[in-house]
Amino acid sequence: MEGGYVNEEDSDAIMGVESPAITSYTDPKQPNALRASAIYAPTTTTTATNASGNNKSLTNPPIATFALTTTTTTASSLSSTSQPPSPSAIGSPPPSTGGPLNGFVTKLRNFKFNDTKNIRKRLHFDYISKDRFLGGQLKTKNGQKYVFNGPPSGVYVSKPCLVVTAFIMVVILIFSILITYFVTSHGLGKPEANPSYITAQAQSKEHPEGNSTSVATAQFHVPDWLKDNFHTSTSSPNRIKDEENVVVPPVVKEEEKTIVPPVGDIPVVKSEGVNDDGDDITKPTDRLLQLHEGWRPIHYSIVIEPNVETSTNNGSLVIEIERDAKITSWEPIVLDVYNVSISNVRVIRSLEGNETDEVELDFDSDYGENNDSFVVKLNPSLASETQLKIALSLDFVSQVTDTLQGVYKTSYINPDTKKTEWMISTQFSPIDARRAFPCFDRPDMKANFTISIVRNSNMSMALSNMPKYHSDTHRLGYIRDEFMTTPKMPTYLVAFIVSNMVDSQYANSDGQLFPRVEIWTRPNFVDMTNYAYKMVRKFLPYYEEYFGIKNKLPKIDLVSVPDFGFGAMENWGLITFRDSALLVPEDQELASSSEHMQYVAQIIAHELAHFWFGNCVTPKSWDDLWLKEGFACYMSYKALNQAHPEFQIMDTFTVLEFKESMQHDADNTSHAISFDVRSTSDVRRIFDPISYSKGTILLRMLNSIVGDEAFRSATQDLLKTFAYANIDRNDLWVFLTRHGHEMGTLPKELNVKNIMDSWITQPGYPVVNVERRGANLVLRQERYLLPARNPLDKQRWFIPITFETDDLHKGDNIPTHWLTKDQEELVIPDVFTKETNNNNTVLYLNLNRQGYYRVNYDSVSWLALKKNFTLLPRITRAQLLDDALHLSQAEYLPYDIPLTFLLELYTSVDDELLWSAAKPGLNYLIYNLKREPAYETFRAFMKFIVRPAFDHYGLNEPDNESHLQLKHRALVANFACKFNYDRCTQVAQMRFREWMRDAKKNPIKPNLKSVIYCTALSEGSYPEWYFAYKQYKRTTSASEKEEILTSLGCTSKPWLLSKYLNMTINSTSGILKQDGALAFRAVATNAIGYEIAFDFLQTNIKEIADYYGDGFSTLTEMIKSLTIYMNKDYHKQQLQLLAANCHKLGLKAVESAINLAMEQVNDNIYWRTHSYDKLKSFLESIVSEFQINIF
Ligand SMILES: [Zn+2]
């Protein structure tokens, strides 16, 4: 499963500080940089002259002086950087310099920082006039990555449906009263014959003895269509044998046959917390996950008829169940249910050796506590039969939700008829199969599934995990589709779709290929599926080769679902996606950005990797969710790297995944990656960056520890050994250890379990402190902790060490040393000689960032790294900047060091990885400074740094640029507009106006849409906003819709922000539920918008909770995005009030989300109190020293 679209720009801010008016405009495309600088930065030119060689003011080196390199070989000028970059320039050393700013650069390089105390004494920086901020807008790509399920609202939206529902409720009530009366006055009821039920056309018979259950036993006849599967579950002609290749699906025949219609009159059990109006008053709710042992499912036969009008599923079910040989005690059979009502329960067994002769068994049955289970107790006289195998048959009615969980309905407008078309989709992961049908809803309870779907004939198609093998008329106006039996799999992978969507005809054109791959979408999107299809065909053979196991499924359907809570879901054979995760428009005007195409490719690679890791081999419990998600993420990088080496995606890994994981793993609210999942809210919580990003980082670290070959062969071995079964992490450790030892990459005295336990069972990650002691290298570790380092924290890890010095270029990722949990310090002898241990010799650790830790160097080492920065490997450069920014954030380092490394961006205009690495740390500073006086200096400093790169790249995209260059230009422009470089903001507005003049012809290039839209809306007013909203409704491109949704939150007009938020809880606004958190985040990350967002949340909390349910944690996501600006004590009080309000309303999950968010606010408050003034002084000293124009 994968989260929503998280663009690299996800937490970006475009600041809306009003820029000074400029008198003339120079096209940034023009190479005449001299002219540009004369117009835009007159003071800069002056400074360059003045600054040349002027270091006299820095005559008092402080105790911890951190001097910039004195080399002048890397100095740059605008005149050289204004040349178009060559494709090979990415990642290459920065251009040499000359020209009018040469002196400026020299001064930069020679600048020495003092400690804050001296700077304060020395400098008397005055702010230029009063605050000039008129506010700022924040631009965000996406609010949500990991989203979860919860209870349905269960009420159909239209008025007629409400009336029908009310009528049904009355009938149900009367029916219930009658049954109750009947049961209480006659003991056990004699069940009515129910000939009309969908499958089990069974004759009821009077129960032989009275009991207290509300449901009777009855003689059971297995329907003909089920018999094969029922009696010989492993020999069904349609079933995939686990180790065999599949049979080709037979031709589907339509037959005319009239069958009696099903009845929908089974009372729906009201669970606790459901009031008379049908509203679940406790949602989003939290339930304990009970693990019941004793019985295991073998096979499910399910017939289900989802009904959009009544919002119910009528169904019938036969589960073959066997006694778990490992459990000796006599346990009841416990099925998981949620808002499901059950009737006509029967239990039968086959007599030994005579499969046609069934015997009906006596039993008691009832709903369990809170109606969240259904318990069947067999007669204890059977307790001695350890091999007992039975079939449990029942009918059920479950809910079709509108909260994107379980079986749910969603709609879209048919472009031809302009009418609303409804469709049914499913999302069962992680724990919502129980909303659809009674089941053993746990990952380790694997079984085969034979599914039949009854659909109204006005729905043109039904899909499920396996190919359809038969189709006929079920009754007048209804068709029944029967699907082949699935391989053994857990319930969370079951899926089906009923709709009028169309296929893209790939299966026909590529009929000779196995498996059949088809993409389904609405008719007007069919031509947006080519890219996804191409990717599937690239990735499948790669995985088959890497894992050494052929894909077993005969078909793979990929479906874009109009409203989908997750990014995508790996249902075996039927992968569901939100539109933006699958569709890539090829039409010029709608074309997707490079970033978006990479995202689509990666998400497809992720879901396909699950077919091996997750679907075929499944973690035993949700505790080890990271195993499947980590593997799917890691494999998606490998697959993408193979398909598109030019993306250099493994380098991007070291920035993106580390950012995601380390950000969430830094303070006391983090959790161990292996998490003791006890309740439904625990299950939801683990779908977070710790499971995904930390999971993938740890697997990559393991790969580096044992080497590529051992890692791959261990994975192959594991998958073959546990095919169609479950594993826990210890199984992986065993295989990796064995193969590592065999290959000789893992020392014999080490085993993977010893190494990995420290990473898996405790939260957080370490900082390795580096000290040069004579000829030796001395390493110590401590936990990286926010808000600040805590020397008392005793958490330790088993850390793989790799390092390089000038004299030692091993270029190998396999660790040479280990810093263990018990070692106070690790001494690596004779790394230096007397001659080499100085600040001219570089030393850097954690090569290619293979280990999950940050590195803090001593001052000599930092200085050497700075002096030789441009000579370092590309990943190391990015790593140093990111580590330095975050080490300062937590008080491990003074801010002069990261600021010095930030200055490298001034000359490293082409180093896209370095620029990406700067983002997370910079965003933190932006959010914490944006509403403070120091932002003025910070903005000036950053504008100064990003200007050469923007002048170099501009907002024009030449043709035939590489993927990396396209992404990099967008990032540079994003920074330039964010820091209000007027050349960027002016051009952005101009381009947008051009579009406004002719809405049908969008002149903005796909990669630059996000920055141009947001800047234009931020700087503009309501005409821009309404224009954008109109385009949102008009466009058919899902990725374009997301771009616009994000930019709508960039406006600086409070009433528009407020209007926008209210649209997120109005189903007619066109904003889908899947996008609610994205829209909210767009407003909340806007420095002007966040208070409006908070107000909106406080005022409408109940309505939001009702509207979104807890299906994909929209409310939790909203709360997370609120806290980024909160750094004052009164913010805490505001949050506490909101938590109290949620408590009153019974919104427990939201309450706990607020408590987690509180920690983030505490971190911010600490930073504001302890680091703000120091950073401010450093910034002022730089701005003053270099005479940077404050405007
Ligand atoms: Zn996944």
Side-chain angles (χ1 to χ4, degrees):
M1 187 153 61
E2 182 60 289
Y5 179 10
V6 178
N7 188 295
E8 205 191 325
E9 316 290 303
D10 58 352
S11 52
D12 276 357
I14 297 281
M15 53 162 278
V17 180
E18 212 152 271
S19 59
I22 57 165
T23 49
S24 65
Y25 164 69
T26 305
D27 190 335
K29 183 170 69 165
Q30 295 296 320
N32 191 344
L34 255 183
R35 187 154 65 97
S37 65
I39 292 169
Y40 293 105
T43 55
T44 303
T45 316
T46 318
T47 309
T49 316
N50 294 343
S52 182
N54 179 10
N55 280 327
K56 283 181 185 163
S57 61
L58 296 171
T59 49
N60 299 324
I63 304 155
T65 299
F66 185 74
L68 285 157
T69 173
T70 51
T71 176
T72 52
T73 52
T74 55
S76 81
S77 77
L78 289 180
S79 58
S80 69
T81 55
S82 59
Q83 297 303 318
S86 67
S88 62
I90 296 285
S92 60
S96 62
T97 56
L101 287 186
N102 197 19
F104 211 11
V105 173
T106 311
K107 183 161 185 173
L108 262 175
R109 294 267 166 207
N110 287 303
F111 181 65
K112 292 181 180 173
F113 292 108
N114 288 334
D115 65 8
T116 39
K117 205 173 148 196
N118 287 338
I119 286 171
R120 273 204 213 100
K121 268 193 211 159
R122 193 162 50 80
L123 299 168
H124 300 282
F125 184 88
D126 289 320
Y127 286 106
I128 311 286
S129 74
K130 56 184 181 284
D131 269 355
R132 297 194 67 262
F133 292 109
L134 295 184
Q137 330 316 313
L138 287 152
K139 178 255 153 200
T140 164
K141 245 337 265 174
N142 176 18
Q144 167 164 332
K145 189 167 182 182
Y146 305 101
V147 287
F148 314 103
N149 290 325
S153 64
V155 179
Y156 184 55
V157 287
S158 76
K159 221 174 186 178
C161 185
L162 274 176
V163 174
V164 171
T165 310
F167 176 74
I168 291 170
M169 290 298 287
V170 171
V171 173
I172 286 168
L173 193 62
I174 294 168
F175 192 69
S176 306
I177 292 166
L178 284 175
I179 286 183
T180 312
Y181 171 72
F182 189 72
V183 168
T184 48
S185 60
H186 296 89
L188 178 74
K190 178 180 177 182
E192 291 293 317
N194 187 10
S196 55
Y197 224 73
I198 303 175
T199 57
Q201 297 169 349
Q203 292 287 318
S204 301
K205 98 172 187 186
E206 191 171 307
H207 196 277
E209 56 191 9
N211 66 23
S212 59
T213 74
S214 57
V215 189
T217 56
Q219 189 169 20
F220 180 78
H221 292 285
V222 183
D224 287 346
W225 61 272
L226 254 180
K227 272 192 173 164
D228 285 339
N229 295 319
F230 180 71
H231 291 302
T232 51
S233 62
T234 53
S235 61
S236 162
N238 299 320
R239 173 164 304 180
I240 301 254
K241 285 186 184 167
D242 293 351
E243 297 301 328
E244 289 173 12
N245 279 338
V246 287
V247 289
V248 178
V251 180
V252 175
K253 277 190 280 179
E254 295 272 347
E255 287 176 13
E256 282 301 318
K257 199 166 126 195
T258 307
I259 290 180
V260 188
V263 284
D265 58 354
I266 297 172
V268 174
V269 176
K270 281 181 188 170
S271 57
E272 268 183 28
V274 177
N275 64 21
D276 287 339
D277 300 319
D279 287 329
D280 189 339
I281 55 172
T282 61
K283 72 180 179 183
T285 184
D286 191 17
R287 287 165 281 140
L288 276 182
L289 287 175
Q290 311 247 4
L291 298 182
H292 301 283
E293 306 292 348
W295 298 86
R296 305 191 67 82
I298 304 166
H299 178 252
Y300 292 78
S301 291
I302 305 166
V303 180
I304 191 161
E305 179 179 336
N307 188 322
V308 168
E309 281 77 29
T310 61
S311 294
T312 54
N313 304 294
N314 275 349
S316 111
L317 176 69
V318 179
I319 319 178
E320 276 178 76
I321 303 169
E322 66 181 354
R323 204 164 157 200
D324 189 339
K326 292 197 291 289
I327 308 293
T328 50
S329 56
W330 181 242
E331 300 293 336
I333 299 166
V334 183
L335 299 174
D336 295 303
V337 292
Y338 189 85
N339 273 3
V340 177
S341 94
I342 295 171
S343 63
N344 285 351
V345 183
R346 302 161 188 91
V347 181
I348 65 158
R349 66 179 298 191
S350 303
L351 285 181
E352 203 68 34
N354 183 2
E355 289 178 342
T356 54
D357 204 2
E358 298 107 12
V359 174
E360 188 181 324
L361 300 179
D362 292 340
F363 65 92
D364 288 338
S365 66
D366 205 348
Y367 295 97
E369 208 182 322
N370 301 324
N371 290 330
D372 60 8
S373 62
F374 186 74
V375 183
V376 177
K377 290 180 183 161
L378 300 183
N379 196 319
S381 63
L382 297 164
S384 58
E385 294 193 40
T386 51
Q387 307 285 315
L388 191 58
K389 208 188 231 186
I390 55 117
L392 174 65
S393 150
L394 54 84
D395 300 332
F396 64 88
V397 176
S398 60
Q399 311 295 302
V400 173
T401 78
D402 57 4
T403 50
L404 317 185
Q405 60 194 143
V407 180
Y408 71 93
K409 60 187 180 187
T410 177
S411 66
Y412 57 91
I413 305 292
N414 183 317
D416 299 327
T417 61
K418 306 285 180 230
K419 283 189 180 154
T420 301
E421 296 249 14
W422 285 93
M423 65 174 281
I424 293 284
S425 180
T426 57
Q427 172 62 41
F428 291 165
S429 174
I431 48 167
D432 286 317
R434 67 191 65 187
R435 289 171 185 271
F437 56 90
C439 56
F440 296 86
D441 204 4
R442 282 163 50 177
D444 61 332
M445 292 288 187
K446 289 186 166 188
N448 303 100
F449 293 83
T450 308
I451 295 168
S452 299
I453 295 171
V454 178
R455 65 181 152 95
N456 193 312
S457 53
N458 63 20
M459 296 281 202
S460 64
M461 65 81 144
L463 295 172
S464 187
N465 303 76
M466 295 297 286
K468 183 162 63 177
Y469 75 91
H470 187 76
S471 192
D472 64 29
T473 303
H474 180 67
R475 63 179 190 274
L476 198 60
Y478 286 82
I479 294 164
R480 178 162 144 175
D481 299 306
E482 300 189 5
F483 298 88
M484 293 165 66
T485 303
T486 69
K488 241 175 123 182
M489 65 183 203
T491 44
Y492 77 84
L493 292 174
V494 174
F496 53 85
I497 299 270
V498 178
S499 76
N500 281 324
M501 291 202 284
V502 295
D503 62 17
S504 309
Q505 297 287 322
Y506 296 113
N508 285 349
S509 56
D510 280 349
Q512 77 288 1
L513 295 177
F514 183 90
R516 248 177 11 90
V517 174
E518 193 55 274
I519 301 184
W520 297 79
T521 184
R522 279 95 84 198
N524 47 331
F525 294 158
V526 169
D527 56 2
M528 299 184 192
T529 58
N530 292 339
Y531 181 73
Y533 182 73
K534 265 193 289 186
M535 290 300 119
V536 175
R537 286 293 179 206
K538 275 191 177 185
F539 296 142
L540 272 177
Y542 173 76
Y543 286 141
E544 289 185 336
E545 212 254 312
Y546 186 91
F547 293 126
I549 300 171
K550 291 271 174 211
N551 161 61
K552 298 280 192 331
L553 255 63
K555 67 93 178 173
I556 302 173
D557 285 306
L558 296 90
V559 185
S560 77
V561 181
D563 203 357
F564 191 76
F566 293 81
M569 176 62 213
E570 72 266 19
N571 312 303
W572 217 351
L574 178 59
I575 313 178
T576 42
F577 294 82
R578 64 167 56 198
D579 287 347
S580 62
L582 184 69
L583 304 175
V584 175
E586 285 170 17
D587 157 81
Q588 185 53 41
E589 192 204 339
L590 297 175
S592 285
S593 65
S594 310
E595 188 105 43
H596 179 244
M597 289 172 81
Q598 180 184 312
Y599 165 75
V600 169
Q602 200 160 7
I603 210 162
I604 290 171
H606 177 110
E607 304 311 330
L608 287 175
H610 272 311
F611 279 30
W612 285 264
F613 234 108
N615 300 8
C616 187
V617 175
T618 313
K620 269 185 193 142
S621 70
W622 293 115
D623 297 12
D624 273 331
L625 172 81
W626 74 273
L627 260 183
K628 85 174 175 81
E629 294 308 337
F631 252 104
C633 285
Y634 186 39
M635 289 312 301
S636 75
Y637 275 95
K638 281 179 179 280
L640 196 56
N641 193 39
Q642 199 259 355
H644 289 290
E646 75 281 7
F647 286 9
Q648 299 186 20
I649 194 77
M650 293 316 258
D651 292 358
T652 309
F653 183 109
T654 62
V655 171
L656 273 193
E657 299 300 336
F658 276 75
K659 176 202 113 181
E660 280 296 323
S661 180
M662 287 184 155
Q663 195 172 309
H664 288 82
D665 205 13
D667 64 28
N668 283 317
T669 61
S670 183
H671 60 83
I673 189 167
S674 185
F675 188 76
D676 187 11
V677 172
R678 290 166 187 270
S679 66
T680 52
S681 70
D682 287 346
V683 173
R684 291 181 187 113
R685 193 180 165 205
I686 53 162
F687 283 81
D688 67 2
I690 304 288
S691 296
Y692 283 70
S693 295
K694 187 172 178 178
T696 183
I697 289 168
L698 292 184
L699 286 170
R700 179 169 165 271
M701 185 168 92
L702 267 171
N703 190 338
S704 77
I705 291 171
V706 299
D708 286 340
E709 249 180 273
F711 186 82
R712 180 177 169 174
S713 55
T715 308
Q716 289 187 347
D717 211 355
L718 181 84
L719 287 175
K720 279 176 191 147
T721 310
F722 291 97
Y724 306 97
N726 295 81
I727 55 162
D728 63 28
R729 60 178 181 273
N730 289 313
D731 297 314
L732 178 64
W733 303 160
V734 168
F735 281 76
L736 283 167
T737 305
R738 189 195 307 151
H739 286 265
H741 285 165
E742 276 170 19
M743 293 285 175
T745 44
L746 186 70
K748 287 283 179 206
E749 66 276 14
L750 289 180
N751 74 60
V752 172
K753 181 175 167 49
N754 285 353
I755 298 165
M756 291 309 290
D757 271 355
S758 65
W759 300 95
I760 300 293
T761 57
Q762 52 188 4
Y765 54 91
V767 175
V768 172
N769 293 308
V770 177
E771 185 195 335
R772 299 178 187 210
R773 201 184 288 162
N776 300 344
L777 181 60
V778 181
L779 307 177
R780 292 163 171 266
Q781 61 164 305
E782 65 183 293
R783 182 179 176 185
Y784 179 89
L785 206 54
L786 285 175
R789 70 192 302 181
N790 176 6
L792 299 178
D793 191 289
K794 292 291 174 236
Q795 212 167 291
R796 296 289 179 268
W797 288 262
F798 207 110
I799 306 174
I801 301 292
T802 51
F803 68 95
E804 258 180 18
T805 67
D806 277 354
D807 298 336
L808 178 80
H809 291 285
K810 48 193 265 339
D812 194 345
N813 293 326
I814 295 180
T816 48
H817 298 81
W818 293 90
L819 178 53
T820 67
K821 285 181 76 170
D822 312 320
Q823 274 172 306
E824 189 57 36
E825 58 183 30
L826 169 67
V827 181
I828 305 175
D830 304 323
V831 174
F832 308 101
T833 62
K834 215 173 183 185
E835 292 76 45
T836 59
N837 192 2
N838 56 45
N839 61 19
N840 287 319
T841 308
V842 292
L843 158 79
Y844 49 94
L845 272 79
N846 201 7
L847 306 183
N848 294 316
R849 217 178 201 184
Q850 295 284 355
Y852 182 52
Y853 55 92
R854 296 193 186 278
V855 187
N856 189 12
Y857 297 92
D858 56 11
S859 55
V860 177
S861 302
W862 278 118
L863 191 61
L865 289 165
K866 178 67 188 66
K867 281 173 76 173
N868 298 285
F869 192 76
T870 55
L871 304 173
L872 299 172
R874 158 184 145 89
I875 292 177
T876 304
R877 292 201 299 266
Q879 196 177 340
L880 286 171
L881 176 57
D882 181 49
D883 278 353
L885 278 164
H886 285 90
L887 288 168
S888 294
Q889 185 185 329
E891 292 190 321
Y892 293 83
L893 271 185
Y895 260 106
D896 56 351
I897 290 179
L899 291 181
T900 314
F901 279 94
L902 268 177
L903 284 168
E904 290 295 333
L905 295 176
Y906 185 87
T907 48
S908 306
V909 291
D910 289 334
D911 189 346
E912 48 80 32
L913 199 66
L914 186 67
W915 282 74
S916 308
K919 270 183 64 177
L922 277 181
N923 278 336
Y924 185 80
L925 293 180
I926 290 167
Y927 293 137
N928 277 281
L929 293 176
K930 192 81 182 255
R931 297 158 65 88
E932 307 283 353
Y935 191 74
E936 190 171 54
T937 348
F938 178 66
R939 184 187 72 88
F941 170 70
M942 286 311 302
K943 190 174 92 170
F944 168 74
I945 288 175
V946 304
R947 201 173 52 194
F950 183 78
D951 289 343
H952 182 67
Y953 282 101
L955 279 175
N956 284 323
E957 261 184 21
D959 291 336
N960 303 322
E961 266 200 332
S962 73
H963 174 79
L964 283 184
Q965 281 173 320
L966 291 170
K967 269 175 63 184
H968 184 48
R969 167 179 288 99
L971 179 60
V972 168
N974 184 288
F975 275 131
C977 279
K978 181 188 299 209
F979 294 114
N980 205 232
Y981 183 24
D982 40 18
R983 285 184 73 176
C984 183
T985 53
Q986 298 289 334
V987 178
Q989 290 178 79
M990 198 180 71
R991 294 277 158 78
F992 196 82
R993 279 187 215 119
E994 212 179 302
W995 186 26
M996 286 174 75
R997 279 196 292 275
D998 183 1
K1000 290 202 175 106
K1001 204 169 155 233
N1002 187 348
I1004 302 163
K1005 288 282 176 71
N1007 295 291
L1008 298 170
K1009 280 178 178 173
S1010 107
V1011 60
I1012 290 180
Y1013 292 1
C1014 188
T1015 307
L1017 264 72
S1018 159
E1019 303 282 328
S1021 184
Y1022 55 88
E1024 285 84 359
W1025 196 88
Y1026 276 100
F1027 174 79
Y1029 179 52
K1030 209 170 150 194
Q1031 300 315 308
Y1032 169 79
K1033 293 188 98 166
R1034 189 182 73 91
T1035 185
T1036 52
S1037 159
S1039 51
E1040 173 83 354
K1041 275 186 191 287
E1042 284 186 353
E1043 298 280 12
I1044 299 177
L1045 272 184
T1046 305
S1047 65
L1048 288 174
C1050 294
T1051 179
S1052 53
K1053 303 291 175 272
W1055 70 92
L1056 289 175
L1057 291 168
S1058 180
K1059 180 188 169 81
Y1060 185 35
L1061 289 173
N1062 279 290
M1063 284 159 63
T1064 62
I1065 47 172
N1066 176 357
S1067 58
T1068 62
S1069 67
I1071 298 174
L1072 298 172
K1073 284 188 179 175
Q1074 67 174 20
D1075 295 326
L1078 172 74
F1080 184 88
R1081 186 177 167 83
V1083 178
T1085 50
N1086 176 336
I1088 292 173
Y1090 104 93
E1091 273 167 350
I1092 298 167
F1094 193 83
D1095 183 49
F1096 168 78
L1097 201 62
Q1098 239 170 350
T1099 316
N1100 302 295
I1101 189 87
K1102 172 84 170 67
E1103 201 179 344
I1104 299 168
D1106 286 347
Y1107 187 72
Y1108 286 102
D1110 68 352
F1112 50 110
S1113 303
T1114 302
L1115 254 172
T1116 311
E1117 290 301 318
M1118 288 176 169
I1119 284 154
K1120 269 193 220 161
S1121 56
L1122 262 185
T1123 54
I1124 55 171
Y1125 287 110
M1126 292 185 161
N1127 59 10
K1128 304 276 161 48
D1129 278 327
Y1130 76 87
H1131 289 134
K1132 267 170 78 176
Q1133 288 154 16
Q1134 284 179 333
L1135 272 180
Q1136 276 155 358
L1137 278 177
L1138 182 63
N1141 194 15
C1142 290
H1143 184 78
K1144 226 164 51 195
L1145 292 166
L1147 304 170
K1148 281 188 199 153
V1150 185
E1151 194 188 340
S1152 56
I1154 295 173
N1155 291 332
L1156 286 178
M1158 203 77 84
E1159 194 67 20
Q1160 164 81 51
V1161 178
N1162 282 333
D1163 293 349
N1164 292 347
I1165 292 172
Y1166 185 94
W1167 187 90
R1168 177 66 184 79
T1169 318
H1170 290 80
S1171 298
Y1172 173 79
D1173 289 330
K1174 291 177 212 161
L1175 174 65
K1176 184 163 167 272
S1177 294
F1178 282 129
L1179 285 167
E1180 287 169 0
S1181 73
I1182 296 175
V1183 167
S1184 164
E1185 188 59 37
F1186 293 117
Q1187 299 178 29
I1188 293 170
N1189 181 6
I1190 204 76
F1191 300 111

